Amino acid sequence: IGATILRQLEISGGYRAERARISGGSLPNRIAGSTVLAGLTFRLNRDSLDLPVFSRSGMLLRAQFDKRSTSLGSDLDYSKLQIDWQRYFSVSANSTFQINTTAGYSHGPAPFYDLFYVGGYSFSERTSRQFLGLDRDELLARQIGVFSASYRRQLLNKPLGFVKRGFLTGTYNGVLSSTRQASPYDFDLLHGMGVGLALDTMVGPMRAAGGWSEAGRLHFYISIGPTF
């Protein structure tokens, strides 16, 4: 059940039930048999971006709260809250700053596959949170806080060409993470950064970037397609 308010704000809620079975793996990321996860889900989305891809102004907010409960048919009893926020600022016709923040909190015995994953350069909402300097899904945590600041400079503008726009990008990101279920959480802090190229083409956005983390590791990423 949901509703749209003032054209930019969407609110929804409902009941969700699913059965999960994980084959293979090693401890602690291993669960025998199948598990039923059932409970209530609430979502809030606010989108005031000027463009869906390579935005130059506006804000995007996504928040979701999940409550799994044995009284609602679940095998486990836990809750999760996740909030993602993006803000864009144009400082000139060719320059844009972007700020991203993510917060994730879990309470109770959430299974490993329903925790928060960080790392990589994916633009899908259902995958690991972006972090230049880590592999995809490299960091697994019960509590997270991710911050990033990016600069994007437009180098190419050919509206009728196959490559319509081209950008040079630079990003700093940091993450606070904890694997503890209760306080004190003893957060670990990790820094990373990266540079890349982004293209707005007739078949969709294409991105390539290199990222470094504190450990001195270099990662190379390629992403094709819009956010979904």
Side-chain angles (χ1 to χ4, degrees), residues 77-97:
D77 201 335
Y78 66 94
S79 58
K80 280 179 56 181
L81 174 65
Q82 46 194 330
I83 302 173
D84 297 281
W85 179 79
Q86 301 176 13
R87 186 71 168 89
Y88 294 83
F89 307 89
S90 294
V91 294
S92 71
N94 296 318
S95 298
T96 303
F97 282 98

Side-chain angles (χ1 to χ4, degrees), residues 4-227:
T4 300
I5 303 173
L6 301 177
R7 299 178 61 182
Q8 297 179 344
L9 181 64
E10 298 178 357
I11 300 175
S12 62
Y15 174 83
R16 177 182 176 185
E18 57 189 336
R19 181 182 296 274
R21 180 185 294 274
I22 307 297
S23 300
S26 58
L27 295 174
N29 297 336
R30 184 175 184 177
I31 297 178
S34 62
T35 304
V36 174
L37 302 179
L40 302 176
T41 297
F42 300 94
R43 294 188 180 94
L44 183 148
N45 295 324
R46 187 175 189 273
D47 186 346
S48 63
L49 300 179
D50 61 334
L51 297 170
V53 180
F54 301 118
S55 307
R56 302 190 69 247
S57 64
M59 182 268 288
L60 178 63
L61 172 67
R62 292 191 176 97
Q64 180 172 327
F65 176 74
D66 296 285
K67 175 59 178 176
R68 311 299 189 195
S69 175
T70 53
S71 62
L72 295 173
S74 180
D75 291 335
L76 300 174
D77 201 335
Y78 66 94
S79 58
K80 280 179 56 181
L81 174 65
Q82 46 194 330
I83 302 173
D84 297 281
W85 179 79
Q86 301 176 13
R87 186 71 168 89
Y88 294 83
F89 307 89
S90 294
V91 294
S92 71
N94 296 318
S95 298
T96 303
F97 282 98
Q98 176 183 348
I99 297 175
N100 288 9
T101 59
T102 293
Y105 173 79
S106 67
H107 178 73
F112 72 90
Y113 51 82
D114 203 22
L115 297 179
F116 302 106
Y117 288 81
V118 179
Y121 198 48
S122 173
F123 286 80
S124 169
E125 298 174 20
R126 295 184 177 274
T127 60
S128 183
R129 261 65 177 184
Q130 279 188 30
F131 194 92
L132 293 175
L134 295 177
D135 287 327
R136 178 176 173 177
D137 298 339
E138 183 173 346
L139 180 62
L140 171 63
R142 294 183 178 276
Q143 332 292 337
I144 62 166
V146 184
F147 170 81
S148 69
S150 304
Y151 172 75
R152 187 176 72 231
R153 176 73 178 182
Q154 183 169 306
L155 305 176
L156 176 68
N157 185 18
K158 294 184 177 181
L160 300 181
F162 176 79
V163 178
K164 296 181 287 185
R165 293 181 294 168
F167 305 91
L168 176 67
T169 63
T171 301
Y172 159 79
N173 42 211
V175 58
L176 286 165
S177 64
S178 172
T179 58
R180 296 177 60 89
Q181 291 189 28
S183 179
Y185 294 113
D186 297 329
F187 286 97
D188 294 319
L189 175 61
L190 178 67
H191 301 277
M193 61 181 298
V195 295
L197 293 172
L199 303 176
D200 183 12
T201 75
M202 294 181 65
V203 295
M206 301 180 180
R207 303 173 176 90
W212 299 264
S213 65
E214 284 184 274
R217 296 175 300 165
L218 172 64
H219 297 269
F220 185 71
Y221 312 94
I222 294 178
S223 177
I224 300 176
T227 301

